Amino acid sequence: MASQEPQHQQLQVLATLDAAKTQRYHFTAIVVAGMGFFTDAYDLFCISLVTKLLGRIYYTDPARPDPGTLPPNVAAAVNGVALCGTLAGQLFFGWLGDRIGRKTAYGMTLLLMVVCSVASGLSFGATPASVMATLCFFRFWLGFGIGGDYPLSATIMSEYANKSTRGGFIAAVFAMQGFGILAGGIVTLALASAFRKAFPAPAYMADAVASTVPQADYVWRIILMLGAAPAVLTYYWRMKMPETARYTALVAKDAKRAASDMSRVLQVEIEAEAAEKLDDIIAKSSGGGYGLFSSRFARRHGWHLLATAATWFLVDVAYYSQNLFQKDIFASIHWIPKARTMSALDEVFRISRAQTLIALCGTVPGYWFTVFLIDVLGRFAIQLLGFAMMTAFMLGLAIPYHHWTTPGNHIGFAVMYGFTFFFANFGPNATTFIVPAEIFPARLRSTCHGISAAAGKAGAIVGAFGFLYAAQPQDKAHVDAGYSPGIGVRNALFVLAGCSLLGFLFTFLVPESKGKSLEEMSGEADGEGGGPGNGAKAMRPFVLEMV
């Protein structure tokens, strides 16, 4: 029998936001916040398209039978340093967003991303070591700015949205990541195509020196610098957005200003409560102002923070392993020819073509399935389904792996591989971003989202560094120069399937937030006082309800 919903006391401005009809301003917020994520994804993943080119330009020895590749320590740094910066940025800007406001911190992240995108492409030096060192330095700080975008974009969108379509709005912001990945592939494809047509070159095996034309050095620099463009285009609109009503009312304790701001942007008249009622509601909503490290937070939200952090960690181990090292997987199944049979620009062209195809057919559609279905099916069901299907398709790749590597079966492998991306994005890659922006109190929302996101980036770092070494063949004769034998791509896929299975199990600790207001989910509507009341019961993890 369904339980009766408790009556919650809520500020008029927040009740109006929860009930507001979808209108143009919501879509403006999605585009403005989403372009930050478009930039984030482009900047984070475009590096995987040019690492082979960097190896050819800076580490080729013409006397060797194969073109140069980045040494293991350099490859790990180039691929992983931005992720390290992202983790630090998520923690710092997540905390800052709860201290100085979402809008102010938001502008800072965007400026940092613009400056460091351009600086990454201008990496200078007379030696390979100096070029790689400056590239890694600027990509760390680029990642730091990108990191801030995660908690701030999610929190801003969740606090602007109405409760009936909030999941779809936050998912739409995150879905711009798919377009960013796709744009990285298309830009690289276009540049590689234009440059190889303008500067034709023989294959490496025909002429090792001539196979990498001097102009190839411009290609990777242009690709990295173009990441600044969408961020520049949206800066003005970001600065025009008012602070969110929930931060202004519940954290800054200025509900009259919140009502004024939202009246303007939603084009409706919102009356501020009388002073006595206002003080009473805000006092109850603050719940005594308990902190992140308090026993009350641990009692009310400890399981939730563990669940959001653990599931994000586990999905990112798998997701970033696959995304950053698609080129290595494609090469292992012979979808991309051996490096020695191509010129440098031919190799870039083929890698970007394969990655663009996967993004177009698997990555982007998955995000938009989440956008349209999350407020119908709910966060819990989509995350559970996504982890289950990721596990199934990774096992489907790993168990008959030798079948997929034989000639004629590459299309089947690509289809199966594309489905793992589809169900990552129509699943935990999206939901782990959405849920932390909905279930924590306003004064800790950005901080807790930052902690959850940082756990995810820790998983991405494990994936980026671990897969680099683990995917090396077990046979010493086939190991890339400078590497030790690993467990091979097949066994690495088994490990990623295991991570997805663990994520499936941790999902049972995640509360369902579909159709509930942010104040209901966080407990702020109940005053968060005393013992666990109705709000705490509503947020109890699913697995505990079953028990």
Side-chain angles (χ1 to χ4, degrees):
M1 188 174 71
S3 61
Q4 184 142 4
E5 285 292 320
Q7 295 299 311
H8 302 298
Q9 192 177 28
Q10 191 180 28
L11 287 168
Q12 180 63 36
V13 63
L14 304 187
T16 303
L17 277 173
D18 280 341
K21 292 181 179 178
T22 300
Q23 53 193 274
R24 193 179 76 170
Y25 188 74
H26 288 119
F27 293 107
T28 302
I30 289 170
V31 171
V32 173
M35 287 309 291
F37 259 85
F38 177 96
T39 307
D40 296 348
Y42 180 98
D43 287 333
L44 281 178
F45 294 112
C46 69
I47 195 67
S48 68
L49 297 167
V50 298
T51 49
K52 293 280 191 184
L53 180 60
L54 290 171
R56 286 205 187 223
I57 293 170
Y58 295 106
Y59 292 93
T60 291
D61 179 355
R64 291 182 175 273
D66 291 302
T69 58
L70 296 178
N73 60 330
V74 176
V78 168
N79 279 297
V81 71
L83 300 178
C84 296
T86 302
L87 188 155
Q90 286 164 335
L91 292 173
F92 176 74
F93 284 108
W95 168 82
L96 196 65
D98 284 331
R99 294 298 172 273
I100 66 173
R102 290 52 160 137
K103 176 185 173 181
T104 305
Y106 212 29
M108 294 165 63
T109 65
L110 201 64
L111 286 175
L112 193 57
M113 287 158 59
V114 170
V115 170
C116 292
S117 288
V118 174
S120 294
L122 296 176
S123 296
F124 51 85
T127 65
S130 60
V131 173
M132 294 301 116
T134 53
L135 174 61
C136 288
F137 175 82
F138 289 120
R139 280 192 64 78
F140 175 86
W141 290 108
L142 172 64
F144 193 74
I146 288 171
D149 229 33
Y150 278 73
L152 296 171
S153 290
T155 301
I156 286 171
M157 198 64 245
S158 73
E159 293 181 345
Y160 272 133
N162 60 53
K163 66 181 181 181
S164 63
T165 58
R166 185 180 61 237
F169 285 169
I170 305 172
V173 170
F174 194 62
M176 295 300 287
Q177 189 178 76
F179 288 124
I181 294 170
L182 183 62
I186 291 172
V187 166
T188 305
L189 198 61
L191 281 170
S193 181
F195 271 76
R196 71 176 187 163
K197 185 176 181 180
F199 309 102
Y204 182 87
M205 60 193 301
D207 189 333
V209 174
S211 68
T212 304
V213 295
Q215 292 81 7
D217 194 52
Y218 294 124
V219 173
W220 72 268
R221 295 178 185 275
I222 294 170
I223 290 168
L224 296 188
M225 286 192 287
L226 283 175
V232 169
L233 293 173
T234 56
Y235 182 77
Y236 170 75
W237 294 105
R238 278 200 182 190
M239 291 301 95
K240 279 193 69 177
M241 292 173 72
E243 183 56 83
T244 71
R246 285 181 162 91
Y247 180 86
T248 304
L250 300 178
V251 183
K253 296 184 171 35
D254 188 350
K256 289 183 179 178
R257 181 179 150 213
S260 173
D261 286 345
M262 291 304 103
S263 294
R264 188 173 68 253
V265 299
L266 296 177
Q267 298 180 343
V268 295
E269 189 62 37
I270 303 173
E271 292 184 11
E273 285 83 351
E276 297 79 9
K277 183 182 178 184
L278 191 63
D279 292 341
D280 181 53
I281 295 175
I282 292 177
K284 286 182 178 179
S285 296
S286 68
Y290 62 79
L292 180 67
F293 300 105
S294 67
S295 59
R296 193 187 297 182
F297 178 87
R299 186 172 67 250
R300 299 186 69 93
H301 299 290
W303 282 110
H304 303 151
L305 189 56
L306 171 65
T308 56
T311 51
W312 206 334
F313 173 87
L314 290 163
V315 70
D316 272 12
V317 171
Y319 189 73
Y320 278 80
S321 294
Q322 290 180 291
N323 244 319
L324 289 173
F325 299 101
Q326 284 187 50
K327 59 191 182 301
D328 302 303
I329 293 173
F330 294 151
S332 71
I333 63 163
H334 313 297
W335 196 12
I336 296 174
K338 292 188 179 296
R340 71 171 77 98
T341 66
M342 298 178 284
S343 70
L345 293 175
D346 282 339
E347 186 174 33
V348 174
F349 177 84
R350 288 175 180 270
I351 290 170
S352 58
R353 184 176 63 181
Q355 192 153 316
T356 301
L357 184 63
I358 290 292
L360 190 62
C361 298
T363 305
V364 172
Y367 284 111
W368 290 97
F369 266 70
T370 301
V371 172
F372 293 118
L373 293 175
I374 192 164
D375 289 311
V376 177
L377 301 178
R379 289 71 163 146
F380 179 82
I382 287 177
Q383 185 162 309
L384 210 60
L385 172 69
F387 270 128
M389 297 305 290
M390 285 174 69
T391 304
F393 279 108
M394 285 179 189
L395 290 175
L397 291 173
I399 293 171
Y401 182 73
H402 298 299
H403 165 77
W404 298 122
T405 58
T406 56
N409 296 323
H410 305 153
I411 299 300
F413 183 96
V415 171
M416 294 279 285
Y417 190 64
F419 270 118
T420 66
F421 280 104
F422 176 83
F423 282 106
N425 296 313
F426 179 45
N429 193 42
T431 54
T432 52
F433 175 80
I434 294 164
V435 173
E438 299 181 306
I439 64 176
F440 298 107
R443 65 186 176 281
L444 295 171
R445 185 168 292 133
S446 179
T447 300
C448 290
H449 194 285
I451 292 169
S452 303
K457 279 301 165 286
I461 291 166
V462 169
F465 288 94
F467 197 85
L468 185 68
Y469 293 92
Q472 290 296 316
Q474 294 172 295
D475 184 354
K476 287 185 179 181
H478 296 95
V479 171
D480 291 340
Y483 289 86
S484 301
I487 61 174
V489 171
R490 180 173 187 255
N491 289 328
L493 287 169
F494 275 120
V495 172
L496 298 185
C499 289
S500 299
L501 181 59
L502 276 175
F504 178 89
L505 298 176
F506 269 104
T507 296
F508 286 95
L509 293 176
V510 178
E512 178 57 74
S513 50
K514 184 183 79 168
K516 296 184 175 74
S517 76
L518 297 181
E519 287 68 47
E520 281 181 83
M521 287 307 302
S522 65
E524 289 165 300
D526 297 306
E528 296 187 324
N534 290 326
K537 184 179 179 182
M539 295 183 295
R540 196 173 294 156
F542 182 76
V543 70
L544 299 185
E545 289 287 350
M546 292 175 64
V547 175

